[in-house]
Short mmCIF file of all heavy atoms in Angstrom, two decimals:
data_model
loop_
_atom_site.label_atom_id
_atom_site.label_comp_id
_atom_site.label_asym_id
_atom_site.label_seq_id
_atom_site.Cartn_x
_atom_site.Cartn_y
_atom_site.Cartn_z
N THR A 200 -23.79 38.13 -197.66
CA THR A 200 -23.13 38.89 -198.73
C THR A 200 -22.14 39.86 -198.11
O THR A 200 -22.53 40.78 -197.35
CB THR A 200 -24.15 39.68 -199.57
OG1 THR A 200 -25.13 38.76 -200.09
CG2 THR A 200 -23.49 40.40 -200.73
N LEU A 201 -20.86 39.70 -198.44
CA LEU A 201 -19.83 40.59 -197.92
C LEU A 201 -19.88 41.94 -198.61
O LEU A 201 -20.58 42.11 -199.61
CB LEU A 201 -18.44 39.96 -198.17
CG LEU A 201 -18.19 38.64 -197.43
CD1 LEU A 201 -16.89 37.99 -197.95
CD2 LEU A 201 -18.08 38.85 -195.95
N SER A 202 -19.16 42.92 -198.10
CA SER A 202 -19.14 44.26 -198.67
C SER A 202 -18.62 44.26 -200.11
O SER A 202 -18.97 45.17 -200.89
CB SER A 202 -18.32 45.20 -197.80
OG SER A 202 -16.97 44.73 -197.71
N THR A 203 -17.84 43.27 -200.42
CA THR A 203 -17.30 43.16 -201.81
C THR A 203 -18.32 42.59 -202.79
O THR A 203 -18.09 42.57 -203.99
CB THR A 203 -16.07 42.23 -201.80
OG1 THR A 203 -16.46 40.92 -201.38
CG2 THR A 203 -14.97 42.78 -200.91
N GLY A 204 -19.46 42.13 -202.27
CA GLY A 204 -20.47 41.48 -203.10
C GLY A 204 -20.30 40.00 -203.16
O GLY A 204 -21.20 39.31 -203.69
N ALA A 205 -19.21 39.47 -202.62
CA ALA A 205 -19.03 38.01 -202.63
C ALA A 205 -19.93 37.35 -201.60
O ALA A 205 -20.27 37.94 -200.57
CB ALA A 205 -17.57 37.71 -202.32
N LYS A 206 -20.27 36.09 -201.86
CA LYS A 206 -21.09 35.33 -200.96
C LYS A 206 -20.22 34.55 -199.99
O LYS A 206 -19.19 33.97 -200.38
CB LYS A 206 -22.00 34.32 -201.73
CG LYS A 206 -22.93 35.01 -202.69
CD LYS A 206 -23.97 35.87 -202.00
CE LYS A 206 -24.99 36.47 -202.98
NZ LYS A 206 -25.98 37.36 -202.32
N LEU A 207 -20.59 34.54 -198.75
CA LEU A 207 -19.86 33.80 -197.73
C LEU A 207 -20.78 32.83 -197.03
O LEU A 207 -21.89 33.18 -196.60
CB LEU A 207 -19.28 34.75 -196.68
CG LEU A 207 -18.69 34.12 -195.39
CD1 LEU A 207 -17.49 33.28 -195.72
CD2 LEU A 207 -18.34 35.21 -194.38
N TRP A 208 -20.36 31.55 -196.91
CA TRP A 208 -21.09 30.57 -196.11
C TRP A 208 -20.46 30.46 -194.77
O TRP A 208 -19.21 30.39 -194.66
CB TRP A 208 -21.02 29.21 -196.82
CG TRP A 208 -21.87 29.09 -198.06
CD1 TRP A 208 -21.48 29.36 -199.34
CD2 TRP A 208 -23.25 28.77 -198.09
NE1 TRP A 208 -22.54 29.15 -200.19
CE2 TRP A 208 -23.64 28.78 -199.47
CE3 TRP A 208 -24.23 28.41 -197.13
CZ2 TRP A 208 -24.96 28.52 -199.90
CZ3 TRP A 208 -25.49 28.12 -197.57
CH2 TRP A 208 -25.87 28.19 -198.91
N VAL A 209 -21.28 30.44 -193.77
CA VAL A 209 -20.82 30.25 -192.36
C VAL A 209 -21.58 29.09 -191.74
O VAL A 209 -22.81 29.02 -191.90
CB VAL A 209 -21.01 31.54 -191.54
CG1 VAL A 209 -20.78 31.25 -190.04
CG2 VAL A 209 -20.05 32.61 -191.99
N GLU A 210 -20.90 28.24 -191.10
CA GLU A 210 -21.50 27.13 -190.36
C GLU A 210 -21.22 27.25 -188.88
O GLU A 210 -20.05 27.36 -188.49
CB GLU A 210 -21.05 25.78 -190.86
CG GLU A 210 -21.70 24.59 -190.17
CD GLU A 210 -21.36 23.22 -190.79
OE1 GLU A 210 -20.54 23.20 -191.72
OE2 GLU A 210 -21.89 22.23 -190.27
N ILE A 211 -22.29 27.32 -188.07
CA ILE A 211 -22.08 27.25 -186.63
C ILE A 211 -22.48 25.88 -186.14
O ILE A 211 -23.43 25.29 -186.65
CB ILE A 211 -22.89 28.36 -185.88
CG1 ILE A 211 -24.41 28.17 -186.08
CG2 ILE A 211 -22.51 29.76 -186.29
CD1 ILE A 211 -25.26 29.00 -185.18
N GLN A 212 -21.72 25.35 -185.22
CA GLN A 212 -21.96 24.02 -184.74
C GLN A 212 -21.61 23.87 -183.27
O GLN A 212 -20.66 24.49 -182.82
CB GLN A 212 -21.19 23.00 -185.59
CG GLN A 212 -19.68 23.30 -185.76
CD GLN A 212 -19.05 22.49 -186.86
OE1 GLN A 212 -19.01 22.90 -188.01
NE2 GLN A 212 -18.55 21.30 -186.48
N TRP A 213 -22.42 23.12 -182.57
CA TRP A 213 -22.09 22.81 -181.16
C TRP A 213 -21.42 21.44 -181.06
O TRP A 213 -20.82 21.13 -180.05
CB TRP A 213 -23.31 22.91 -180.27
CG TRP A 213 -24.45 22.00 -180.57
CD1 TRP A 213 -25.57 22.33 -181.27
CD2 TRP A 213 -24.57 20.66 -180.15
NE1 TRP A 213 -26.43 21.26 -181.34
CE2 TRP A 213 -25.87 20.20 -180.63
CE3 TRP A 213 -23.82 19.76 -179.39
CZ2 TRP A 213 -26.35 18.91 -180.41
CZ3 TRP A 213 -24.31 18.51 -179.16
CH2 TRP A 213 -25.54 18.07 -179.66
N ARG A 214 -21.53 20.65 -182.09
CA ARG A 214 -20.77 19.40 -182.21
C ARG A 214 -19.52 19.69 -183.08
O ARG A 214 -19.63 20.22 -184.17
CB ARG A 214 -21.58 18.30 -182.82
CG ARG A 214 -22.69 17.77 -181.93
CD ARG A 214 -23.42 16.65 -182.64
NE ARG A 214 -22.53 15.57 -183.06
CZ ARG A 214 -22.91 14.56 -183.87
NH1 ARG A 214 -24.15 14.47 -184.31
NH2 ARG A 214 -22.02 13.62 -184.18
N PRO A 215 -18.33 19.25 -182.65
CA PRO A 215 -17.13 19.61 -183.42
C PRO A 215 -17.08 18.95 -184.80
O PRO A 215 -16.45 19.47 -185.72
CB PRO A 215 -15.98 19.09 -182.53
CG PRO A 215 -16.60 18.15 -181.60
CD PRO A 215 -18.01 18.61 -181.38
#
Side-chain angles (χ1 to χ4, degrees):
T200 303
L201 296 170
S202 59
T203 60
K206 300 295 183 182
L207 169 66
W208 287 93
V209 168
E210 181 172 1
I211 61 168
Q212 51 194 90
W213 59 263
R214 288 182 56 190

